[in-house]
Amino acid sequence: MTSLRYSLAALALIGATHSAVAADNLDIIVPFAAGGATDIVARSFEPIFSQQLGVTSVVRNVAGASATVGTAEVANSEGNPNIIGYEPAGALSIQPSLKKLPYGSDSFTYICRTVSNPMFLMVSKSSDIESFKQLVEESQEYPFLYGSSGPGTLPHLAMAALTVNSDLKAEHVPYSGSGPAMNALAGNEIQIMADTETILENYDLRPLAVFADHRVEGYPDVPTMQELGLPALDFAVWQGVVAPKGISEERTQQYAEACKATVESDKFKAFADKAKADIAYLGPEDFEAFVQKRFAANKQVLKDAGLTP
Amino acid sequence: MDMILAAMGDAFTWQALLAIVIGTWAGIVIGGLPGLGSVVGLTIFLPFTFGMDVITSMALLIGVYCGSVYGGSITAILINTPGTPQSAATTFDGYPMTQQGRVDEALGWATFASFFGGVLSCVLLIFCAPQLAKFAVNFGSIEVFALVCLAMLCIVGISRGSLLKGLVCGMMGFFFSMVGSDPITGADRFTFGSYALSSGLDLIPVVVGAFALSEVFIRFSARDEEAAAIPEARLRFPSLREIGRRLIELVRGSFIGSFVGALPGTGAAAAAFISYASAQKLSPRRANLGKGEPDGIIASESSNNAVTGSAFIPTLALGIPGDVVTAMMMGAMVIHGITPGVRLMVDQAQTVYALFVVLIIVNVAMLILSKPSIGLFRYLFKMPLGFVMGGIVMFSFIGAVSVRGNPLDLVVAALTGILAYVLRRGGYPLAPLVIGMVLGPALESSLRRGLLISRGDFLSFFTHSGIATTLFVLIGLFLIWTAVAGVLDWRSRMAACRQPVPSSSSRA
C-alpha cells in the first residue's frame, strides 16, 4: 500500500515537473483546414505571438467535425505548457451542447479573446424587403428559407433564436460553408442569412438588423434587436486562445501578456483592419466568464429551437 | 488596354516567373506522388507566400495547383495509381495503354489534354466569367442533384464485366461518404459511438488505400517480376493530325470541366467523372473506352485541368470559392489585403488581369516542364521495385495523414487498402467506389436541401427549372439508351449462340 502511495506521489511529481517545463517550441492548433477564415487570422497572429513569448511556434491544422477534433486535441493535452489552440466560437460555446465530445466548456485554461464581430440579419439587395417589419409580414403567407454555413453554426443559432423570439416564419437550409450559402442567396434559393460584416460587405446584401446590444459603427441606420421590440439577442463571431487545463499560473500569465501585446501591435491591427476583424481583447478571467455565459445562452437557444432535447 | 499591359508587367517580373517555375514543377511532382495532392501541396507552400507580394504568391500557388492536377495523371498512367483523386478517371484508359506498351502516347495525350483544358478554361474565365457566374448562381441544389445523378450513371459505363459488382462498389463508396456528421442535422451517423469517426472518412485516405496500397499488394502477390515491372516513362506528343482527329473530344472535355468548375462545391474529380461519362456516350470510338483509348485520357485530363481556370469564376465574380483550393487562394488574397467579393473585378482590375496572365503562363510552363518531370519519375521508377513500392507506401501514408492531421486516417488508408485488394481479387472494379465517395456527399446534401426547398415535394424537382428538366430528360434518355443497348446486345449474343460459327462483332 505504501509503495503504491509512493509511486503515485512520484507519478504526480513527474506530472508536475512535466507541466512546469516550458520548451522553446509551441504548437498552435487551428481546428480548421489551412486557408480558411480562422486559419488566416491565426497565421497572422502566430508570428507576433511567438515573438512576444520568445519561442518558435508551428501552426498545426487539425480539421474535422465542426472544429471539435482539433479542439479536443488541446483539451486532451492536460498539463502540457507547449500547446495552445486558436479557437472559433462554435467549438467552445455551441458544439459541447450539441453532441457528446471528449471536452466541455470547462476543459480549458482560457487565455484571451482576440477578435469579435457582431452578426447582421441580411437579405439580398435584389429583394424588395427593406425592414425587419416587412420581412415578418411577408413571411406570414409563405415562410422564408434561411441559410447557414452548416448545422449548429452561429448563423444557424442566431436565426433559430430569432424565429423563436419573433413572429418571423423561416426554415433552415444548411450549406457546407458561407460561400455555398451566398451562392444560394444570390440565386434566391434562400432569402435570409445571418453573418458578419465581412460577408455583408463582400456580397450584394442589405442589413436589416444587428444581433448586438448597441448599433454598430459604420451602420448607423441598422437597428438592434431590442430596438425592434425583441428580447436582447446577442450573437457575434469571435475567436480566442485556449490552453489545456493544468498549466501553471505563471505560464497562463505569460500567454495572456503575449496575447495582449499581439492584438495591440500595429502589425496585427493593420491585418485586422484589412480582414475586417474587430479586435476585442479579453483577459483570462473575463474570457472564461464570457465563454461560460455564451455557452449557457447558446444551450438555451438550442433547447428552445428544439435542436437538443 | 493600358490596364492589360500594366498587368502583363506585373506578371512578367522575374520573381513571378521564378515562382511559376518552382510552383508548377513542385506541383507536378507532388501531384504525381500517390497520396500527396493539391491540398497538401498548397498547405506546404502557403506559409512561403506570406512574405511575397500578391502576384508572386498567387503565381506560386496557382503553379502548385495546376501542376498537381496534371501530375496526378503521370502515376495514374504508369502504375495504375492516380496521384490525386482528380486523376482517378485517367487510369481507366491510361493504364491499359501502358500495358499495351503505349505509355509514351498515353503520357503525351494526358499532357496535351491538360494543357488544352487549362488554356481553354483561362480563355473562358477572361471573356465569359460574369455570364458563367450568373449561370452558376442559377444552378441551385435541385439542379446540382440532377447533374450528380447524371454523373453517377458513369458507374454503369465503367463496370465492364459485371454491372452488379460495379454497383456494389459504388454503394460501398456512397456508404463510406455517409460516415460522420449528417450534413443537414449535424447528428453523428455510423460512428458506433467512436468520437474519432465523427469527423467522417476523408476522400484522400480512401483513394490512397483503394488505388495505391492495393496496387502495391497486387504487385507483390503476383510474384511475377516481369508483370510487376514498371515500364520506362517516355513522352511523345500527339501530332497535329492526331489532335485534329480528336479535337472535338478535347473541346468537349474542356467545356465540361470549365462548366463544372464554375459550380461551387463540385471540383475537379467530379468533373473528370462527368466528362468520362459523356465520352462513353458521345465519343465515336466509345466501344474501345476502358481498353486503352486516348479519348478516355482526353476526357479525364482536359476536364480536370479545365477546372483549375474556371474554379476562379465564382471566386472572382462573386467572391465565392468553388472548392477547397480556391478557398485557400482567397485566404492568401486576404492576407495581402485583397478581399474577394462582388466588386473585386472593378476595384482590383489590374490584379485580376495579372492573375489571368499568370494562369496562362502556368499552363505553358506545365507543358514545358512535363518532360523533365516525367524524366524524374522515369529515374525514380528505375530503382529496384521494392524501393519504389516502399516509397509509394510511405508517401501514401504521409499523404493520408497530412490532409487534416487525424491519425485515424492512417487506419482508414490501411483498411481500405486491404479491402480493395480483396475486391480486386474478386473482380470488382474500384473506380465506382471512388465515384460513390466523391459524388455521394453532393448527391445526398443536394437531394435533402432540394427537399427542404420544395417542402418535401420530390415531384416538383422535375419541373423546378428549365436546367433541371433538361438534365432529368438526359438521365431518362441515358437509361433508355443503356437498356435498349443491353437488350440488343443480349439478342445478338443469343443469335450468336444459336449459330454454329460465333460472330466476332457480337459486342455492342
Side-chain angles (χ1 to χ4, degrees):
Chain A
M1 197 60 211
T2 29
S3 68
L4 181 68
R5 209 176 297 154
Y6 277 129
S7 39
L8 273 177
L11 268 176
L13 265 176
I14 293 167
T17 43
H18 173 74
S19 72
V21 177
D24 294 340
N25 292 311
L26 180 69
D27 259 6
I28 301 183
I29 304 281
V30 174
F32 288 109
T38 309
D39 181 65
I40 294 298
V41 187
R43 282 173 191 269
S44 307
F45 176 87
E46 177 257 338
I48 315 171
F49 182 74
S50 59
Q51 203 184 358
Q52 294 292 340
L53 212 56
V55 298
T56 316
S57 57
V58 181
V59 170
R60 210 146 50 82
N61 297 96
V62 184
S66 312
T68 58
V69 177
T71 311
E73 183 160 340
V74 179
N76 290 340
S77 311
E78 204 170 322
N80 183 346
N82 302 310
I83 184 170
I84 58 168
Y86 193 89
E87 295 294 335
L92 296 178
S93 70
I94 302 174
Q95 293 296 331
S97 331
L98 262 183
K99 50 185 173 189
K100 209 172 149 274
L101 292 173
Y103 69 86
S105 64
D106 47 6
S107 311
F108 303 96
T109 304
Y110 288 90
I111 307 294
C112 63
R113 185 178 75 178
T114 53
V115 296
S116 175
N117 287 69
M119 298 180 74
F120 289 87
L121 175 72
M122 314 178 289
V123 292
S124 169
K125 256 190 192 148
S126 59
S127 92
D128 52 2
I129 293 166
E130 302 275 352
S131 69
F132 181 70
K133 197 167 154 260
Q134 199 185 347
L135 187 76
V136 173
E137 277 166 13
E138 293 201 12
S139 76
Q140 300 305 318
E141 272 177 49
Y142 200 70
F144 285 120
L145 294 170
Y146 66 89
S148 78
S149 46
T153 56
L154 273 167
H156 178 196
L157 249 69
M159 283 306 301
L162 182 63
T163 48
V164 167
N165 288 300
S166 73
D167 294 329
L168 177 68
K169 287 199 165 51
E171 282 159 29
H172 179 221
V173 184
Y175 291 83
S176 54
S178 291
M182 282 300 120
N183 199 58
L185 192 68
N188 199 29
E189 189 167 293
I190 54 170
Q191 293 80 36
I192 314 172
M193 178 90 181
D195 218 316
T196 58
E197 189 191 341
T198 320
I199 299 283
L200 178 64
E201 286 291 304
N202 289 349
Y203 306 95
D204 281 329
L205 300 171
R206 179 181 300 140
L208 298 182
V210 61
F211 290 90
D213 53 8
H214 55 87
R215 293 199 178 199
V216 176
E217 200 184 327
Y219 301 91
D221 302 331
V222 181
T224 68
M225 291 297 169
Q226 262 169 313
E227 289 170 358
L228 294 169
L230 303 173
L233 294 173
D234 197 355
F235 286 95
V237 173
W238 48 266
Q239 296 164 2
V241 177
V242 298
K245 273 240 170 286
I247 64 167
S248 66
E249 190 62 35
E250 187 196 348
R251 189 65 172 165
T252 310
Q253 274 313 312
Q254 276 178 353
Y255 280 145
E257 276 160 28
C259 177
K260 189 160 196 277
T262 305
V263 297
E264 284 173 358
S265 69
D266 289 340
K267 217 172 148 191
F268 190 76
K269 272 185 185 157
F271 164 78
D273 199 39
K274 276 193 274 186
K276 292 206 180 68
D278 295 346
I279 292 173
Y281 177 83
L282 284 182
E285 288 84 32
D286 293 343
F287 184 37
E288 175 156 21
F290 169 77
V291 176
Q292 297 297 2
K293 200 178 127 206
R294 295 311 313 157
F295 176 76
N298 289 339
K299 195 168 186 163
Q300 193 57 43
V301 172
L302 288 167
K303 206 173 217 160
D304 293 345
L307 295 164
T308 49
Chain B
M1 198 62 215
D2 286 350
M3 184 79 89
I4 294 172
L5 283 178
M8 294 265 243
D10 286 347
F12 278 97
T13 59
W14 68 267
Q15 293 99 327
L17 292 176
L18 186 68
I20 288 174
V21 171
I22 294 176
T24 311
W25 201 65
I28 297 175
V29 175
I30 290 170
L33 294 170
L36 308 186
S38 310
V39 176
V40 174
L42 287 169
T43 316
I44 295 171
F45 280 93
L46 190 65
F48 291 105
T49 63
F50 291 180
M52 300 174 179
D53 69 75
V54 61
I55 299 295
T56 314
S57 58
M58 286 293 124
L60 186 71
L61 294 178
I62 291 174
V64 172
Y65 177 33
C66 295
S68 63
V69 174
Y70 159 65
S73 68
I74 299 175
T75 28
I77 290 169
L78 279 176
I79 50 172
N80 201 19
T81 297
T84 62
Q86 292 103 309
S87 288
T90 309
T91 56
F92 304 159
D93 287 280
Y95 190 61
M97 281 180 81
T98 298
Q99 285 173 315
Q100 294 156 15
R102 293 156 71 201
V103 60
D104 52 347
E105 200 190 326
L107 285 171
W109 275 115
T111 309
F112 186 76
S114 297
F115 167 74
F116 191 91
V119 170
L120 195 89
S121 76
C122 288
V123 173
L124 283 176
L125 171 66
I126 295 169
F127 294 106
C128 317
Q131 291 84 346
L132 271 170
K134 211 167 186 181
F135 190 66
V137 158
N138 290 322
F139 227 83
S141 299
I142 292 170
E143 288 82 2
V144 168
F145 173 70
L147 183 74
V148 173
C149 282
L150 194 62
M152 276 283 201
L153 293 174
C154 155
I155 293 179
V156 177
I158 55 166
S159 312
R160 285 184 181 271
S162 168
L163 180 58
L164 189 65
K165 285 180 175 177
L167 288 177
V168 166
C169 284
M171 286 302 121
M172 217 183 285
F174 197 9
F175 172 70
F176 284 170
S177 79
M178 283 195 213
V179 175
S181 297
D182 181 306
I184 303 299
T185 66
D188 284 349
R189 303 184 297 191
F190 308 114
T191 59
F192 308 101
S194 149
Y195 173 68
L197 273 174
S198 68
S199 55
L201 302 178
D202 194 68
L203 175 66
I204 302 283
V206 172
V207 168
V208 153
F211 286 99
L213 294 180
S214 77
E215 186 66 28
V216 171
F217 296 156
I218 291 271
R219 277 172 200 260
F220 276 128
S221 67
R223 293 181 180 283
D224 179 0
E225 290 292 315
E226 276 302 291
I230 300 159
E232 197 161 287
R234 300 226 169 259
L235 178 69
R236 186 174 67 81
F237 283 115
S239 69
L240 274 179
R241 217 173 57 85
E242 287 173 299
I243 292 170
R245 217 159 67 92
R246 298 180 197 271
L247 190 64
I248 183 99
E249 303 296 315
L250 285 161
V251 172
R252 192 180 54 234
S254 307
F255 267 99
I256 291 176
S258 303
F259 175 68
V260 174
L263 304 176
T266 37
F273 288 130
I274 293 171
S275 173
Y276 194 86
S278 76
Q280 284 172 336
K281 288 293 148 208
L282 299 173
S283 158
R285 294 161 287 272
R286 56 180 173 268
N288 286 331
L289 276 178
K291 299 180 214 155
E293 168 58 46
D295 282 0
I297 298 179
I298 293 171
S300 166
E301 284 301 311
S302 62
S303 61
N304 68 21
N305 272 81
V307 169
T308 60
S310 66
F312 285 96
I313 289 173
T315 314
L316 295 182
L318 306 167
I320 297 166
D323 56 8
V324 190
V325 179
T326 36
M328 286 178 79
M329 302 255 191
M330 260 178 68
M333 284 186 187
V334 171
I335 286 182
H336 290 99
I338 297 176
T339 325
V342 276
R343 276 171 302 283
L344 183 72
M345 289 272 218
V346 184
D347 296 348
Q348 302 277 350
Q350 190 173 329
T351 312
V352 173
Y353 282 120
L355 205 79
F356 293 157
V357 179
V358 164
L359 258 171
I360 292 178
I361 308 175
V362 163
N363 276 291
V364 175
M366 197 171 78
L367 194 66
I368 299 168
L369 290 169
S370 61
K371 212 161 179 125
S373 312
I374 288 173
L376 177 75
F377 279 97
R378 176 169 67 230
Y379 175 76
L380 284 177
F381 289 151
K382 253 190 198 155
M383 288 192 286
L385 198 61
F387 291 156
V388 175
M389 292 298 150
I392 289 175
V393 171
M394 186 185 78
F395 279 114
S396 298
F397 280 118
I398 293 175
V401 81
S402 55
V403 181
R404 50 181 192 181
N406 190 342
L408 170 81
D409 290 341
L410 292 174
V411 183
V412 172
L415 289 180
T416 318
I418 296 166
L419 173 74
Y421 174 73
V422 175
L423 287 174
R424 278 174 78 167
R425 274 298 162 107
Y428 286 83
L430 285 180
L433 192 141
V434 175
I435 296 173
M437 184 94 190
V438 168
L439 299 178
L443 184 78
E444 189 202 350
S445 53
S446 64
L447 169 66
R448 293 178 60 187
R449 238 176 256 139
L451 286 171
L452 284 173
I453 291 156
S454 69
R455 267 92 179 173
D457 180 10
F458 183 70
L459 284 178
S460 72
F461 274 37
F462 298 105
T463 52
H464 181 73
S465 69
I467 305 169
T469 310
T470 314
L471 287 167
F472 280 117
V473 167
L474 280 176
I475 294 169
L477 286 177
F478 185 101
L479 289 176
I480 295 168
W481 187 339
T482 310
V484 170
V487 170
L488 287 180
D489 185 41
W490 178 75
R491 278 179 62 176
S492 67
R493 251 187 297 158
M494 290 305 277
C497 282
R498 263 183 250 123
Q499 281 165 8
V501 184
S503 126
S504 62
S505 60
S506 61
R507 226 193 141 91

